[in-house]
Amino acid sequence: MLCLVTGATGYIGGRLAPRLLDAGHDVRCLSRSAGRLRDVPWSGRVEVVEGDLFDPDALRRAMAGVDVAYFLIHSLGRPDFEARDREAATVFAAAARDAGVGRIVYLGGPEPDPDDKPSAHLRSRAEVGRILLDSGVPTAVLRAPVIIGSGSASFEMLRYLTERLPAMVTPRWVSNRIQPIAVRDVLRYLIGAATLRPEVSRGFDIGGADVLTYAEMMQRYARVAGLPRRIIVPVRLLSPWLSAHWVGLITPVPNSIARPLVGSLIHEAVAHENDLAELLGGPAPLGFDESVRLALGKIRDADVETRWTSAAGRDAAAEPLPSDPDWSGGSIYVDERSRPVSAPPERLWRVIEGVGGENGWYSFPLAWSVRGWLDRLAGGVGLRRGRRDRDRLRVGEALDWWRVEEIEPGELLRLRAEMRVPGRAWLEMRAEATPEGGSVYRQRAIFLPRGLAGHLYWASVLPFHGIVFNGMARNITRTAETSDGERPVPAGASGGGA
């Protein structure tokens, strides 16, 4: 089948397109900027039509010959999102009908109890679903509650609130029941909905294996993330409006997005039927804890290059994508430095591979020693392990309080910290050749905080980074430039040198 995916640069669309391809379908994407899809790994496998839903020519080209059209866009974050989405759905429905599209698939939100006054967000989602169902084209409207996956705005709110607040006074909606669903299950249902019989045109509730209150979700998130149990005190004073500003203050999720999402949490979001799962068959949906583990990368080892998660056993659906907003994916602190080196990359590499142990760390030896002793007092390994070989390193071996995680000979050394810190840390050093015969030294220190203690730890050591890491970069490059091709003597290894 030929599938049209709108919103291919969005959270769901960017994950759906490659899975449709893997399922054997042809995929066409409608995007306002084709350049935003240029760097995704599946860009060469899809057809891209540049334009938006309000461009009649682009929409006509996008719909031509399409079997299934996915409506995955919304204007959340704009003050006029209700009117904008109403117009977009109306135009999309008419174009699909005129082009003879076989099916429309839409991902919406849960429908609140008719006796409740629905939030603007849920009211808009329901209205869009009705417009598409009235199009005359067979339509499947999937009603999803909180989606669990890195990059989902609802999940990011949960993540940041739980990680940053060991104790919190919360609004009363934290006692409302929710049936969260893993993003991988949402994608599976979206792909399966394309195969429904033509006479099936209706809405479907979808949800995960667990029904929890929001407070229970925060506690179970904390447990999976290895955080202490949170102290949660619900009060009646925090209105949805105040709650949204509170979320905006604590989390990096923009207030324009947090406000309608928080407004929706005043309604319970529990599936009233399981018809789509029964029609499609397949595995049971994941439970909350496993969904969070996938989103956090808890079932994988760390790897800095893929947002610090490795390919082994990964669930890419739950991981961040380059097209996700900057505030998604959790907090990541980076100290990044680079310096030009007149020496060739081979000589710079010898310095990089020689760090640690008796060779030293090229900057402020006293600070390294004190940090090592503090780590030992806290029950860590400190600096006492040294290194096995004075000149060579191997993947997996210990190096002082680091573990060698990755080596690309002549180019990259990546170390994973095994010191006692409230989070996970890496140090990465690179040697890059330049056309002039010299090289560039690149250095990154990366820290993924765990809980409020992790953020406070990074803030406490930040004033010393300019001394330690800047001195390290300067002395490594200086040593590479002044060595004569033999094993270099570290600058500052046994003195000041910072």
Side-chain angles (χ1 to χ4, degrees), residues 240-445:
W241 182 83
L242 286 173
S243 299
H245 285 281
W246 170 67
V247 170
L249 177 66
I250 300 301
T251 81
V253 178
N255 216 33
S256 58
I257 294 176
R259 189 180 304 114
L261 291 180
V262 168
S264 300
L265 291 173
I266 64 174
H267 306 288
E268 294 201 332
V270 178
H272 299 290
E273 42 84 9
N274 196 35
D275 296 351
L276 185 61
E278 294 174 0
L279 284 171
L280 298 179
L286 297 178
F288 178 79
D289 290 2
E290 187 174 0
S291 303
V292 172
R293 287 190 188 96
L294 291 170
L296 297 182
K298 283 289 181 180
I299 64 170
R300 304 177 299 274
D301 292 330
D303 171 40
V304 180
E305 288 305 299
T306 56
R307 190 59 78 94
W308 302 277
T309 52
S310 73
R314 66 189 278 187
D315 177 24
E319 294 180 354
L321 292 181
S323 55
D324 289 344
D326 292 340
W327 44 261
S328 67
S331 299
I332 299 172
Y333 295 119
V334 179
D335 183 285
E336 192 165 6
R337 302 172 190 273
S338 64
R339 294 179 70 93
V341 187
S342 59
E346 297 82 9
R347 191 181 300 175
L348 174 59
W349 175 252
R350 281 196 292 272
V351 183
I352 292 173
E353 194 177 13
V355 298
E358 64 182 74
N359 297 337
W361 290 92
Y362 293 87
S363 178
F364 208 163
L366 178 61
W368 286 90
S369 297
V370 170
R371 184 63 182 87
W373 279 107
L374 290 174
D375 191 53
R376 291 189 65 177
L377 289 173
V381 297
L383 292 172
R384 66 180 183 267
R385 297 189 302 191
R387 53 181 294 155
R388 293 182 181 179
D389 187 294
R390 190 178 184 185
D391 301 315
R392 296 287 179 264
L393 293 174
R394 296 171 181 82
V395 172
E397 71 180 15
L399 177 62
D400 291 331
W401 61 49
W402 305 95
R403 180 74 59 179
V404 180
E405 185 173 89
E406 184 65 36
I407 295 179
E408 295 177 12
E411 297 181 12
L412 167 69
L413 172 63
R414 184 181 304 135
L415 307 174
R416 183 180 70 249
E418 294 186 339
M419 68 186 88
R420 292 294 184 94
V421 291
R424 293 184 290 167
W426 291 263
L427 178 62
E428 183 179 274
M429 292 171 276
R430 288 182 178 272
E432 297 180 0
T434 62
E436 297 79 17
S439 53
V440 175
Y441 173 69
R442 301 193 186 279
Q443 174 183 295
R444 289 200 301 170

Side-chain angles (χ1 to χ4, degrees), residues 161 165 167-176 218 232-250 262-263 265-266:
L161 287 173
L165 295 176
M168 61 193 94
V169 175
T170 58
R172 59 186 178 182
W173 50 254
V174 299
S175 299
N176 289 346
M218 287 192 284
I232 300 174
V233 182
V235 297
R236 299 180 62 86
L237 301 178
L238 288 174
S239 67
W241 182 83
L242 286 173
S243 299
H245 285 281
W246 170 67
V247 170
L249 177 66
I250 300 301
V262 168
L265 291 173
I266 64 174

Side-chain angles (χ1 to χ4, degrees), residues 87-158:
E87 183 181 358
T90 302
V91 171
F92 186 88
R97 182 179 59 248
D98 294 344
V101 170
R103 173 167 294 282
I104 295 172
V105 180
Y106 167 58
L107 180 63
E111 288 195 355
D113 189 288
D115 295 333
D116 291 341
K117 182 180 179 182
S119 69
H121 173 229
L122 294 185
R123 183 173 63 233
S124 174
R125 290 297 178 97
E127 181 183 30
V128 168
R130 288 193 298 271
I131 292 171
L132 297 176
L133 284 168
D134 292 341
S135 65
V137 178
T139 298
V141 173
L142 278 57
R143 299 186 287 255
V146 171
I147 297 176
I148 305 298
S150 186
S152 161
S154 296
F155 176 73
E156 297 300 342
M157 281 173 43
L158 174 70

Side-chain angles (χ1 to χ4, degrees), residues 445-461:
I446 306 108
F447 184 64
L448 274 65
R450 184 176 65 249
L452 180 61
H455 294 279
L456 294 177
Y457 170 81
W458 179 264
S460 69
V461 299

